[in-house]
Amino acid sequence: MADLPDASSDELPPERRLRLSIKWRSIKAPSYLPGETFAQFGIGFFLGDAPLYADAVYGDAQDREKQGLQPGYFIGYDTDCELLTGLKKLVDGGERLDFEDETEPLFRLIIAPDIFDPGYSASADTDYFNVLGVIYWGGAWHGQALPEQGPAIKLSATREALRQFLRDLVSEAFEPGICEPEACLIMKKRFSDVL
């Protein structure tokens, strides 16, 4: 599991700080996508160790248990390591990360010095970034009243915290039971320099 705590509230104890968490569920190399990977992960929004939103937002508890999804997590998908590739470009060169998966409910993650100005880019010495994670289009809250909106989290992070977040994600990807052998070869080729 890789955690990214809110850097804007360093003075608060850990149990009162917002936290974004990503936990790999599986990484595969499908035969219909040669040389690419397909990953499933859990994305969690927390206040300390407690889920940020009420249970109803996360869906039926029995369905979540059948899926092996821990409390506080939604499911996200990544095609061809886009999340890790984008995070690496951000950490190494300051390139804005704007990741969005393709399966409802959608997960979107934006990390940049100014998340609301796509034209504003970071320099090599930028050390402070805003982070916005949003789950939308689908989910237990989806209905006439909230068709597109969904749970969100906004926090801040330093470049070093983002670098550690990337390291943790890459390291966890190689844990037994997460990455299929062929997918591991692809991941090692692309991200061995991160570790």
Side-chain angles (χ1 to χ4, degrees):
M1 171 178 8
D3 290 329
L4 189 62
D6 186 11
S8 67
S9 57
D10 276 345
E11 71 284 354
L12 294 175
E15 66 272 8
R16 294 191 50 216
R17 289 173 67 187
L18 290 172
R19 178 172 58 90
L20 171 76
S21 180
I22 296 179
K23 181 172 181 47
W24 295 116
R25 294 169 54 85
S26 66
I27 303 173
K28 301 177 180 184
S31 58
Y32 58 88
L33 294 171
E36 295 186 14
T37 62
F38 183 78
Q40 184 185 81
F41 57 89
I43 175 76
F45 302 158
F46 296 90
L47 179 60
D49 289 333
L52 189 55
Y53 293 96
D55 289 345
V57 171
Y58 298 98
D60 182 67
Q62 287 181 334
D63 289 344
R64 296 175 58 72
E65 191 174 310
K66 286 178 191 172
Q67 295 175 343
L69 203 55
Q70 295 177 344
Y73 284 90
F74 300 93
I75 291 179
Y77 299 91
D78 184 7
T79 303
D80 202 27
C81 306
E82 287 179 19
L83 177 61
L84 292 178
T85 300
L87 193 53
K88 187 173 186 312
K89 287 179 181 177
L90 172 82
V91 167
D92 290 345
E95 188 175 319
R96 175 187 180 89
L97 169 67
D98 192 344
F99 169 82
E100 184 175 59
D101 72 8
E102 300 167 0
T103 305
E104 290 186 17
L106 300 174
F107 166 60
R108 185 169 182 190
L109 180 64
I110 302 171
I111 305 176
D114 184 344
I115 54 177
F116 299 110
D117 183 359
Y120 184 87
S121 57
S123 64
D125 61 344
T126 302
D127 189 45
Y128 203 71
F129 296 85
N130 288 307
V131 179
L132 177 65
V134 181
I135 310 287
Y136 65 105
W137 270 121
W141 65 90
H142 194 154
Q144 294 298 323
L146 294 170
E148 294 180 42
Q149 297 83 356
I153 192 169
K154 184 195 174 292
L155 43 93
S156 300
T158 63
R159 187 183 298 261
E160 188 50 44
L162 291 166
R163 190 180 315 279
Q164 185 59 50
F165 188 59
L166 174 62
R167 276 190 215 112
D168 291 345
L169 281 170
V170 171
S171 177
E172 184 193 27
F174 296 117
E175 289 180 6
I178 300 286
C179 203
E180 288 183 343
E182 191 174 334
C184 275
L185 294 174
I186 294 168
M187 296 283 288
K188 284 178 183 171
K189 186 176 180 182
R190 295 184 188 180
F191 302 108
S192 59
D193 59 330
V194 170
L195 301 174

